[in-house]
Amino acid sequence: MRNIKLTIEYDGSRYSGWQRLKNSDETIQGKLESVISEMVASPIEIIGSGRTDAGVHAKGQVANFHTKSKIPIREIHKYINYYLPQDIIVKEVTEVPERFHSRYNVKSKKYVYYIWNHWIPSAFDRKYSYHLVEKLDIEFMKEASKKLVGTHDFIGFSSVKKTNKSTIRTINETTIAKEGNMVKFIFIGNGFLYNMVRIIMGSLVEVGLKQKEISYIDDILESKNRSVAGRTLPPQGLFLEEVYY
Amino acid sequence: MRNIKLTIEYDGSRYSGWQRLKNSDETIQGKLESVISEMVASPIEIIGSGRTDAGVHAKGQVANFHTKSKIPIREIHKYINYYLPQDIIVKEVTEVPERFHSRYNVKSKKYVYYIWNHWIPSAFDRKYSYHLVEKLDIEFMKEASKKLVGTHDFIGFSSVKKTNKSTIRTINETTIAKEGNMVKFIFIGNGFLYNMVRIIMGSLVEVGLKQKEISYIDDILESKNRSVAGRTLPPQGLFLEEVYY
C-alpha cells in the first residue's frame, strides 16, 4: 500500500471543524475524504495530525491516507485541489514510508493566535483575528507567557472532561509580537489539549488588561481547575500553523 | 455647515461597487448614506473621491458630507462603525474646511493590484488577489511598467465610451514587488480612467507571460484603441490604497 502525506491550508470560517461528522458534510476531513475516495474509486479514511475546532483555521495541517492506487503524486495534487472547495487547499503531497502516521508521529505543533487590538475594527482581518478594544499591556503578557514554558499538567487550561489520559504537555516556546494593531501569539509545544490555546489566550488577556497579576498563570497551573482560568477566546483568531515530525 | 471627512476601508467582495444604485442597497455609498442619514436625522449625500467597481476593495477611500448636526467627531466615528456592516469600516473622521471636496481636491491616488502567481492557489488570499498559474517574468513587467510613467492619453487602457472629457492622465510612479507567491503592483497617479488599472494589469500580464514585447505598452498608448490592450483583470485583486490631497 502507498502512504500519501498531505499538507493542508484551510479557511475554517464556514466549517464545523476538522473531524468528519455523521450528519454534516461541512468538515475539512469530510471534504477531503469525499474528494479522495472519488479519485481512487474506493472509500478512503484520512488520518489527521489532530482535530481543529469549528471556525479554527490552518496554514499547515497534516494528514495521510493509504491507497493501492497508482496515480502519480502530481496528478493526485492537481485532482484534489481541482475538486476541493476554494477555502481548502492542499499545499503539498508526498509519498512517505508505510509506517508514517500523521497523529502518532507528531513531534510538536505550532499554533498562532491573532488579536486585533484597537477600538477601530479591521474590514479585512475580522475573520482571521479576535477584535479586542481595550489596550493590552504586551510586556505583561510576555512575562506571563514565560510561565507556560516547560512541562506542566495543563488540565486547568483545557475543556477536557475527566480522563485517564495524561494531561501533561510541554510548551517549548512562546513568542508575542505586535505589528501595527495586530498582536501575534505563537505557541510551540509537543501537544495541546482540547481548547488549550484558546483558554491560555483568555487567561493571558486578563493579565494584559491588568485584571490579573502575572502569577495568575502559576495559579491556574497549580489549581488544575478549568474554572480558575480565563474564558475560551473565539475560534477565528486561531491558526494551526505547522506540524513537526 | 460642518464638513466631515471620512477615510474608509472596505472588503468589496459582496458589494455592487462604491456608487449608490436606485434598486440596490448593496453599495458602499448607499450603506454609508443610510447610516449617516439615520444618525443626523436628515437625508445626507456623501461625496466620494471617485467610484470603485463591484468587487474592488479599499484601504483608504475618502468621502465627505455636510451637516448641521452638532454630534462630536468621536461620537460620529463610533456611531458609524457600530451600525455599518463589518466589511465596511470608517478608519478616520475629521472636520475639514467647508470648501473641501473629496473629488475635486484629489491630488493623486494610489492603487494596488495583487496577483497570486503559483499553480497552487491560496485559501486565504483568494478573495484579495487574482490567481494566475503561469509564471510571470517580473523583470520584463518592471521594464514595461516604466513606459506608463508620465503624462499620456490613456484612452487605450480604458473602458470609457466616447467622451468630451480629457482622457489624459499622469502616472507618477509604478512599483512591482514579489513577496513569496504574491506579486504586488503599485500605481500612483493624478487620476485613473474607468477600468484603467485592471486593463493596464491585463496588458502587463501579457508582457510578463512573454506573449507580447515590452514595446506593447507603447503600441497601446499610440493606438488610443481599447481593443489593442489586454483584457480587464478581475476586480478582487484591486485595492484603492490611498487618496492624496
Side-chain angles (χ1 to χ4, degrees), chain B residues 12-245:
Chain B
S13 306
R14 65 184 190 94
Y15 293 99
S16 314
W18 169 263
Q19 196 180 33
R20 179 190 348 105
L21 297 171
K22 268 184 188 156
N23 302 312
S24 164
D25 192 32
E26 296 307 310
T27 68
I28 319 294
Q29 188 188 16
K31 289 285 180 199
L32 282 161
E33 287 183 344
S34 72
V35 169
I36 296 169
S37 300
E38 188 74 25
M39 173 179 71
V40 300
S42 88
I44 288 290
E45 196 174 323
I46 68 170
I47 302 156
S49 75
R51 306 174 190 177
T52 55
D53 287 339
V56 171
H57 314 292
K59 293 257 174 99
Q61 169 68 295
V62 173
N64 71 298
F65 66 94
H66 296 270
T67 180
K68 287 174 183 162
S69 159
K70 293 189 167 58
I71 309 174
I73 290 296
R74 178 84 173 195
E75 294 310 307
I76 292 176
H77 199 164
K78 281 194 204 164
Y79 182 101
I80 297 178
N81 279 338
Y82 187 81
Y83 287 103
L84 276 177
Q86 291 191 313
D87 46 12
I88 308 176
I89 303 286
V90 172
K91 290 164 75 176
E92 228 179 282
V93 183
T94 51
E95 198 157 344
V96 287
E98 199 165 343
R99 67 185 180 283
F100 174 83
H101 189 286
S102 293
R103 192 167 70 255
Y104 300 155
N105 295 159
V106 172
K107 280 224 174 61
S108 56
K109 286 184 175 180
K110 186 202 269 188
Y111 277 98
V112 181
Y113 198 96
Y114 292 92
I115 295 183
W116 179 261
N117 192 26
H118 196 274
W119 74 274
I120 304 169
S122 159
F124 296 101
D125 293 306
R126 73 194 191 285
K127 286 160 69 183
Y128 309 110
S129 61
Y130 166 59
H131 179 210
L132 185 72
V133 171
E134 297 74 29
K135 198 167 184 316
L136 290 168
D137 186 315
I138 306 297
E139 293 311 311
F140 251 57
M141 295 177 90
K142 282 185 182 169
E143 285 308 308
S145 73
K146 284 181 194 162
K147 296 181 172 288
L148 295 162
V149 176
T151 302
H152 306 283
D153 185 345
F154 281 99
I155 191 157
F157 289 103
S158 167
S159 305
V160 283
K161 306 279 185 312
K162 288 226 169 197
T163 173
N164 290 323
K165 290 187 191 162
S166 168
T167 49
I168 293 171
R169 296 290 185 277
T170 302
I171 291 190
N172 309 309
E173 203 184 311
T174 63
T175 312
I176 306 179
K178 194 163 196 239
E179 290 165 30
N181 297 325
M182 191 69 91
V183 195
K184 186 178 177 177
F185 299 80
I186 306 174
F187 301 93
I188 301 178
N190 71 347
F192 293 87
L193 305 172
Y194 182 53
N195 278 347
M196 182 167 140
V197 178
R198 291 162 58 191
I199 297 171
I200 286 177
M201 285 305 308
S203 309
L204 284 178
V205 159
E206 291 195 32
V207 175
L209 297 177
K210 300 193 175 166
Q211 295 162 349
K212 289 276 169 36
E213 301 291 332
I214 289 169
S215 59
Y216 179 43
I217 303 300
D218 297 319
D219 300 341
I220 303 165
L221 287 170
E222 282 160 30
S223 76
K224 299 187 173 53
N225 184 346
R226 166 70 187 90
S227 68
V228 175
R231 67 197 176 91
T232 308
L233 288 201
Q236 79 273 7
L238 186 61
F239 287 73
L240 171 53
E241 193 79 12
E242 202 169 345
V243 184
Y244 306 95
Y245 290 96

Side-chain angles (χ1 to χ4, degrees), chain A residues 9-12 14 57-59 74 77-78 81 86-92 119-128 239, chain B residues 9-12 14 57-59 74 77-78 81 86-92 119-128 239:
Chain A
E9 168 177 288
Y10 46 86
D11 178 338
R14 66 183 188 93
H57 314 292
K59 292 257 175 99
R74 177 85 173 193
H77 200 165
K78 281 194 205 166
N81 279 338
Q86 290 191 314
D87 47 10
I88 307 176
I89 303 284
V90 173
K91 290 163 77 178
E92 230 181 282
W119 73 275
I120 303 169
S122 160
F124 296 102
D125 292 306
R126 72 194 191 285
K127 287 160 70 182
Y128 309 111
F239 286 74
Chain B
E9 168 177 288
Y10 47 85
D11 179 338
R14 65 184 190 94
H57 314 292
K59 293 257 174 99
R74 178 84 173 195
H77 199 164
K78 281 194 204 164
N81 279 338
Q86 291 191 313
D87 46 12
I88 308 176
I89 303 286
V90 172
K91 290 164 75 176
E92 228 179 282
W119 74 274
I120 304 169
S122 159
F124 296 101
D125 293 306
R126 73 194 191 285
K127 286 160 69 183
Y128 309 110
F239 287 73

